[in-house]
Each structure stands twice: as C-alpha cells, then as structure tokens.
C-alpha cells in the first residue's frame, strides 16, 4: 500500500509563524496615510486593530511564536494533511510528482480560519467585544464567525449582496456559528448609503463591503476591524500551512521544484509559499507561481502603484498590483479571488521577480476541478481549482519538455458551498469572463495621485 | 498544548474488517425468500450482488482482509481523526471525557464511502458495468457516485423525490462525480409506476426508491444493486471505523465506558461499535447506545419481526425491528435516519440485550448540534447530531450521578448540505415529528404473514 497521506501528529505542529520580511531582499514599501500621503504609524491603525497585530504588521522578527491559546484553537483541525496525488498523476499519465496540501479540513472548509482564530485571540486579549469584516463568497466571513464563537466575540459580516442572495448556505454557516450577516451595500453606514445613492441596485463588491466594515469599526471603541487577506499579519498567520508542508515534504523525502497557489489577496499563496521562499532567498532553485482568474488579473495585468484597499478610500494607501480600487469583476465570474489588489508583500516579490504569476480562464479551472474530483475525490472550491488546473498545466509542460518535476500546490478549500457554479459548468453556462483591456484602462485611470 | 486530535499514520491503517458474526452469542436469524418463505441461498442473491459480497454476507470468519485496491481508495481520506472534545466538555462543565471519531473528512462528507469503495471494487472485479442504488438525503448516493468514479462504474441513483427537490446540492455533488440521479418514484420502473398510479403526487420514500433500484438491477445482467446500510457486508465494511478507533483510544491511553452512534439502517452504528463489542462479549463492562429519531423509532418502538426491506416487496424478508415496510416518516422530519427497519445484526443484538437504544426529538438534536458547532467547530449533519446530543445527555447523567465516564461517539458526517434544516431550527420552524402510536399501529398491521 502506498502512503498518499502524509500527516503530522499534533505534537509536531509548528509553534511559530514565519515572517518573510526578515528575509526580504529589499525592505518593504511603506504604507501611506490616505489624507497626508505620509507613512502610517501605529496610532493611525489603533482605531481598527489591536496593538499586537499592529506590531506584527511591521515586525522584522523572523519567527514569531504562536500563542498557546491560538495553537489550542488551531488544533481543532490542524495539522492538515499533505497528499500525494497518485490518482491525478495516473490520470494525466505524467512523469511528475504532484503533492497537495489540503486546508479544506477546517470547520469552515478553507485556510481562512488560520488567521481568524489568531485575530480573534489578540482582539479579545485587548478588550475588544466585537469585530466587523467583509466577505465575498463567504469563506472569510464564515472563518471569522467560527473564530468569534470560539473566543466569545460578536462578529458582524458585511457580505457582498450578490453572494448574500446567491449563496444562502454560506450565510447560514456564519449564522450557525453566531455571526451577524448584513448584505452590502447597506443603509447602516455612510459608505453604504453613498453607494446606494449613486446606484440603488448595486449588487456590491468587496471594496464597498470593506468600506462599510471599516467605518463601523472606526466609529465604535469596543469594535475592531478584521481583514481576511492582504495585510502582513494575515499572511504571517497563514505561514503555518507552509511550515507544516515543509515538515511533511521532508517526511515524504521530497522537495518541491514548483510551488503553486491561487492568489486573490495573497494569504493562501503566502501561506504555502513563504516558508519555502526563504530557501530560494538562500539560493535554492525553485519556481513559485501565483494563479489568478483572467476575470481579476491583478498581478498579470494590474499596475504596480499606490492604491486604496477599499472602494471609498478609507484605508491606507498600499503599493501593490492593482486594477484600481473601483474595479469589480464581471458578473459572470463564478468564483472568488475578486479583490482589486494584492498583498503588498506578494506584489513586491512579483515586482522583484522572485515569484511568477499566471491567469486562468474560468472554464479551464472547472475542467481541472472535475478531473481532480473524479480521481482524487475532493471537490475543490473554485478558488482552489485555479491551483489544481495550474498544477495540471505544469505537469503537462514538464512532460512535453521530457522532465519530471515535483509539484506542490495548496488546495485551499472544498467546494461544498459552490456546487451551483459546478452546475453552471456542466450546463455549459460558465462563460469566458476575461477582463477586457478597455475596461481595465477605465479603472486604472481612477488610481489616486500619490506624490512618491 | 493538549493533543485533541489522535491521528494514525497511513501505515497503521487496519488491514482487515471485523466480522461480528464470528463472536455472536447466538447464530444470526436466517433471511427468507419473499416468495417461498424459505431461507435464501447464494443463487437468490446472484442477480443483485457479486459473489464476493454474497460470501461476506454469510461469512463466519472473524477477520476478513481488505483488498489492496480497496485500501488504496480508502487512503484518499483514511485514517480519519479521533478527537477529544475538550471544548464541549468545558462548555458542559462535565467530569466525563468525551471523544469523537470524525468521518466527515471523506470527500462525500460521511462514513458512507467506506463501504461504497469496497462494493464498487468487488462488482468491478466480477465484470459488472453499472450499479443502481437509492438515496434519501443524498449521503449514500454521493458516496456511491464517488466510488463509481474511482473504479470506473456507471452509477444510477434513485433519489427520494422530496430530497431531490429540496437538496439540489447533494444531487450536484453526485453529478460532479459522474453519478446519474433520477427522482423516485419514477416512470422508469414497474415499481415506480405502480406507486405513481396510486398517488401521482407521491414525494417518495427510501422503501420505494429501493424497489426501483432493485428492479433495474434484477432486469439487467451487467447491472447490480448496491445498498448503503442494513446488510451484513455493508456493516462489515464500516468496521474499519471502530478498528481505527480502538487503536486511537489506545494511543490516548483510554477505553470507552459508553459508545454512542446514530442508527438508521445501522451501518454507522455497527462501524464504530462492533469492534468494541467483541470485548463486551468477552466480559468487558461497557454500554453501547444506538440513537434514533422519535420520528422513525425502529428500535425503541418497532416490532421484532420478519419484514421486507423495500416497500413493494421485492427484497428478501429480514428479521428486524421494523415500523412496517410501508412506513414513511412525517414530512416535517428534517434529518435522515428514515429507514423503516434496522440491520438484522443490530436488531438481534438489541433483542438479546447486548446494546441499548434511545430516541431523540429533532429540536433537541439541533440544540446539541449548535452547541457542538460553536465549541468544537464542526457543524454536524442532522443524522450525526443524534449521537452528539446523546453524548451530551450521557455526560450530564454521569455528572448527576457523581461519576466520570469515558464517552466515545461517532460523528458520522458534516452538515454542509443540511444548512437549510439549521435555518429552520433558528427560525423556530423545526417541529416535533414524533411518530404517533395510532400511525404506528396502522403500519405494523401491514407486516407480512411469515410462517416462522
């Protein structure tokens, strides 16, 4: 019998997060205050975040210990398994070895709870009673609702209206964990009202929902804001994925030539790849590929520039690959990975040539997903299907070149709440949602003028 | 850090199933031919099952080796974790220790694939091209669809019409794995047409769907029938759950005083409990509790008598606890566990006083499920919530008696496809669906006359 599942025991779980900034070839670009254009300091962030997370946001310490209470919550589902995809390899007839780390075993079904429990813990410790956040497809909102129920915090989720209406099960999952879900744009905030005034039928966007969540947190002293991706501390918390995967690849007696992960805001990508990238910084030969939808091609088509994190312009300005803070993916785009920008750290790595990026069309990712499901069993989330399909393409390319590669990808979540999109795919209703150049130019023209 | 998750490595996976018949205090009651009333032989079963499974059905061999190919498929998700429910214990303030085995990590989200892959393998090996089956909530149909995709068999699922209409996601899951799903009663079979003639608006039942699936298999030589519970070989395949749990409890340095599992047809219950029951047969003190809904109280209110496995009367007669083969649970019953009978082996164990049974009202099981979700993370399937709530009640009872018990229950699956029922619960729309005595008498009056 072949061992497909490489599993750590719970006492082998990594006790520290890896902070890639310590090994960054160049120092990270500063984050700017939206009013003054000057680098933001801790005081600017205090209305939204607890001090512990603000410190992590700017830390240059290489390894940061995971608090006992956070580890205790993580052990509800961690360590997660690493699988050798023998069946997929056979179906492809490839010479390459394909491994995947599976984060769908968390109660929320994705990697998102890794940071949610850490953020809930630090906020609780500093006396916060309530967290606000936004969610698109609902992955992040459910992760934070779970964390809120574990640490005794109220959770208020602004859910992009189109998803709120089309994905009732995700909302129900949040409610089962006690989360309070409001469709965005809402009339509860100035930001929401502003959008509804312009467009009463707005179906929302992540950018708008962020504006609403930030506004509520900024106005209430016992309320903080929580973000599910993009920020340095979020990426930091996700590195437990790659730290585990390093140990598991070692158990398998292997090391990846190619690491692949889907990339929206960047936390899933950072989670699996950052712990390996430190070897690359020290000279190890490897390719690291971020995969995004052609409907939201931030790295492959975006501009590396300062932009707001939200639509209304409440957040600091971040140097990142962006499609413009007013960007909203086409309505026919089925999956997640819809954020207009990318994490500053991931953006800088891409800009400096340390990582690659690839954009995939949505019909292709469903083809990869169905092939994967029928051979490996697990039905991938559409977001995760990007990394599945990219791994398939990399294996095929290696075969064409007569090479055998060791490919590792992160299967960030299952698709149990996304089967309506699979149905559209089977019915041939999934259309090409590739972003058009003229659309892109329009959004990029709206980038804020920044004097740097 | 406390170890909550007790995980075997893949090379520790049990290589054999445990056949409880070898240790049965009394020989099992014979299964009778529906026409002759005489015990059935292998020839009677050949139109429906491969010889290997017929042999397992009547085997008295204590341990039966798991074929390599089946083990290889099982390792797509096994071994499954055993958890110590520290958070639930704390929430209850109990002196008892609560462990749960979690079968929801399988791609189909329940324990059902354990037997599905074994049945698919044996059928494929004997040249069968297609399997028919029935499904209620969809757990079994998705498990068999998964197995079909892994072993290259066509799968035809007759899905109880009310579930087909109310649970589109389960159907989509089956279709993602290539399964062909037909709402039952259908016009494709004599059995279905007969039911529709009497009641054109019939929303179906498991018993009717079984009749349809059996008929199609009996009529086509390259097609066999596959059952997800009840039969001895199905229970046998599920014993891998308890065999793993024995090793895991040993790793935890513990042994259960009380073993709890929800019980519909009996395969989930048998899976976790049979491997431990052999210690009871050899004198070990333990309690083993089967939990069922008050809406379908086969063990607690049914009659121990010979009855058909299906509605139309195509299957052999089995001595079991039954509510009558025409029984259908109240429409307001939200969860699964709807079968009118129980496995012959489980029934006999109950009749002989080796195991206990308990019936729970559906609002109570959702209370237990929500408490569990908010502390342990995982959202249980309504079926599995029966064992959650029973474990909570047992822990409370032990506290009242001033005792500390070690309780083990099987969390057979997650509730990702059952969140509509959670919504009903939160809205207060889940009603008492307890079976009324006068209803029961009506169904029991229709038991077949058997001369034994």
């Amino acid at each position: 019998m072949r061992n497909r599942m490489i599993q750590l025991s719970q006492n082998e779980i990594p006790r520290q997060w890896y902070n890639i900034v310590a090994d960054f070839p160049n120092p990270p670009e500063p984050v700017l205050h939206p009013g003054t254009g000057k680098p933001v300091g801790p005081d600017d962030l205090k209305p939204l975040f607890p001090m512990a997370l603000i410190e992590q946001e700017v830390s240059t310490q290489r390894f940061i210990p995971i608090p006992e209470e956070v580890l205790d919550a993580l052990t509800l589902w961690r360590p997660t398994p690493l699988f050798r995809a023998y069946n997929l390899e056979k179906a492809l007839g490839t010479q390459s070895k394909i491994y995947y780390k599976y984060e769908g075993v968390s109660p929320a079904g994705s990697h998102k709870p890794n940071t949610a429990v850490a953020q809930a813990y630090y906020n609780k410790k500093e006396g916060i009673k309530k967290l606000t956040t936004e969610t698109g497809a609902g992955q992040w909102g459910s992760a934070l609702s779970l964390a809120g129920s574990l640490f005794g915090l109220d959770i208020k989720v602004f859910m992009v209206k189109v998803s709120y209406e089309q994905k009732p099960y995700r909302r129900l999952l949040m409610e089962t964990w006690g989360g309070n879900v409001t469709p965005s744009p809402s009339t509860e905030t100035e930001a929401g009202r502003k959008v509804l005034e312009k467009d009463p039928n707005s179906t929302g966007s992540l950018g708008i929902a962020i504006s609403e969540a930030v506004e509520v947190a900024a106005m209430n002293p016992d309320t903080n804001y929580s973000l599910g991706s993009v920020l340095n501390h979020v990426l930091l918390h996700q590195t437990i994925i790659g730290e585990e995967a390093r140990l598991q690849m070692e158990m398998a007696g292997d090391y990846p030539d190619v690491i692949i992960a889907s990339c929206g805001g960047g936390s899933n990508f950072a989670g699996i790849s950052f712990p390996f990238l430190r070897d690359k910084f020290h000279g190890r030969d490897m390719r690291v590929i971020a995969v995004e939808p052609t409907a939201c091609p931030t790295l492959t088509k975006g501009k590396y520039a300062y932009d707001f994190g939200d639509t209304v312009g409440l957040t600091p300005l971040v140097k990142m690959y962006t499609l413009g803070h007013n960007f909203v993916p086409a309505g026919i785009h089925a999956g997640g990975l819809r954020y207009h920008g990318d994490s500053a750290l991931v953006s800088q790595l891409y800009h400096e040539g340390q990582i690659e990026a690839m954009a995939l069309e949505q019909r292709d990712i469903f083809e990869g997903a169905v092939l994967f499901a029928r051979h490996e069993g697990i039905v991938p989330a559409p977001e995760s299907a990007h990394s599945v399909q990219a791994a398939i393409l990399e294996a095929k390319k290696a075969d064409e070149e007569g090479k055998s590669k060791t490919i590792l990808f992160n299967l960030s979540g299952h698709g149990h709440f996304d089967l309506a999109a699979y149905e559209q795919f089977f019915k041939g209703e999934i259309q090409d949602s590739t972003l058009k150049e003229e659309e892109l130019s329009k959004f990029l023209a709206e980038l804020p003028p920044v004097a740097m």
Side-chain angles (χ1 to χ4, degrees), chain A:
Chain A
M1 200 188 72
R2 301 168 303 183
N3 273 21
R4 315 164 169 276
M5 189 198 286
I6 300 129
Q7 180 65 298
L8 302 167
S9 72
Q10 241 172 5
N11 46 35
E12 294 169 299
I13 203 168
R15 305 298 177 106
Q16 37 191 20
W17 292 303
Y18 169 61
N19 181 10
I20 198 170
V21 172
D23 292 315
F24 242 44
N26 298 301
E29 301 276 355
V31 171
L32 306 182
H33 191 282
T36 64
K38 297 261 152 58
V40 298
D43 281 352
D44 297 314
L45 299 172
K46 263 172 77 176
L48 297 183
F49 302 107
M51 204 35 92
L53 293 179
I54 294 171
E55 281 163 16
Q56 289 180 359
E57 195 61 22
V58 295
S59 170
T60 55
Q61 191 184 320
R62 182 167 288 109
F63 289 101
I64 295 179
I66 306 176
E68 266 308 297
E69 294 86 342
V70 177
L71 271 177
D72 192 60
L74 289 171
T75 56
L76 286 169
W77 68 91
R78 301 205 76 86
T80 64
L82 179 84
F83 287 95
R84 172 85 184 268
Y86 283 117
N87 289 10
L88 179 64
E89 290 173 18
K90 196 177 160 199
L92 296 172
T94 183
Q95 299 297 313
S96 288
K97 290 188 267 187
I98 305 177
Y99 291 89
Y100 63 97
K101 177 82 168 159
Y102 183 44
E103 290 291 308
V105 294
S106 84
S110 80
H111 65 295
K112 298 278 186 184
N114 295 331
T115 183
V117 294
Q119 294 189 45
Y121 164 74
Y122 288 118
N123 275 289
K124 178 78 178 185
K125 207 178 156 201
E126 295 187 26
I128 290 298
K129 305 271 184 251
K130 186 172 176 173
L131 291 176
T132 63
T133 196
E134 70 290 333
T135 201
Q139 294 272 23
W140 170 241
S142 39
L144 197 65
S145 298
L146 165 67
S149 86
L150 294 175
F151 285 96
L153 284 168
D154 287 342
I155 304 295
K156 177 156 185 90
V157 183
F158 289 93
M159 185 172 191
V160 176
K161 197 184 272 171
V162 60
S163 297
Y164 182 91
E165 284 163 359
Q166 288 174 5
K167 304 203 166 184
Y169 271 35
R170 281 268 188 219
R171 170 178 58 76
L172 288 170
L173 188 59
M174 295 185 245
E175 290 174 354
T176 300
W177 284 313
N180 179 317
V181 190
T182 305
S184 164
S186 80
T187 55
E188 291 181 23
T189 66
E190 194 55 42
R193 287 188 294 269
K194 215 164 131 184
V195 171
L196 288 171
E197 221 166 83
K198 268 198 210 164
D199 176 8
N201 299 318
S202 166
T203 54
S205 74
L206 265 187
I208 297 168
I210 295 174
S211 300
E212 293 207 85
V214 167
E215 182 184 322
V216 172
M219 308 274 284
N220 296 286
D222 68 349
T223 303
N224 267 350
Y225 168 67
S226 177
L227 194 64
S229 191
V230 177
L231 297 181
N232 297 1
H233 68 265
V234 180
L235 275 57
L236 175 77
H237 301 155
Q238 292 295 356
T239 59
I240 192 164
I241 302 172
E243 290 297 328
E244 283 181 7
R246 280 179 69 100
L247 300 174
Q248 289 164 310
M249 289 301 295
E250 209 178 304
M251 281 169 76
D254 243 328
Y255 193 97
D257 301 309
V258 187
I259 297 172
I260 295 170
S262 58
C263 189
S267 78
N268 164 57
F269 173 79
I272 187 87
S273 70
F274 281 9
F276 289 94
L277 271 169
R278 69 173 176 265
D279 294 343
K280 179 162 184 165
F281 295 151
H282 293 96
R284 176 132 203 168
D285 188 34
M286 79 177 81
R287 291 171 57 219
V288 177
I289 308 173
V291 195
E292 52 188 24
T294 54
C296 188
T298 46
L299 293 172
T300 50
K301 299 272 185 179
K303 193 169 166 184
Y304 190 49
Y306 272 98
D307 197 4
F308 296 111
D310 67 331
T311 302
V312 173
L314 296 178
T315 69
L317 290 157
V318 177
K319 183 95 176 263
M320 60 180 176
Y321 281 88
T322 177
L323 302 169
H325 57 278
N326 289 318
F327 172 80
V328 182
I332 51 166
H333 176 59
L337 310 176
R338 303 169 150 265
Y339 188 58
H340 69 270
D342 252 299
S343 134
L345 296 178
V346 171
S347 294
Q348 192 168 335
L349 287 170
Y350 183 61
H351 186 68
E352 295 177 359
Q354 297 285 355
I355 62 170
E356 302 170 34
M358 177 195 287
L360 295 178
E361 208 271 295
Q362 62 176 346
R363 284 167 302 193
D364 295 335
I365 66 109
F366 278 103
E367 274 199 18
V370 171
L371 183 75
F372 186 84
R374 292 189 180 173
H375 290 93
E376 292 290 325
I378 300 164
V379 177
E383 297 82 8
S384 319
H386 288 78
S387 59
V388 173
Q389 177 65 4
I392 291 171
L393 294 174
E394 283 299 316
K396 285 184 176 169
K397 200 175 78 178
D399 289 330
E400 281 162 19
E401 293 169 355
K403 289 176 186 162
S404 163
K405 296 276 173 84
T406 299
I407 299 167
L408 166 65
F409 73 90
N410 196 27
L411 190 68
S412 56
H414 60 63
H416 299 171
F417 301 102
D418 307 288
L419 290 174
Y422 278 83
E423 182 170 44
Q424 283 181 279
F425 173 69
F426 289 126
K427 286 184 175 168
E429 290 170 6
I430 294 272
Q431 298 163 45
D432 185 354
S433 57
T434 301
L435 177 62
K436 297 196 176 55
E437 290 294 339
E438 61 270 27
E439 279 285 302
L440 176 59
S441 319
K442 196 187 78 187
F443 288 117
L444 286 180
E446 294 163 356
L447 281 177
V450 174
M452 273 195 78

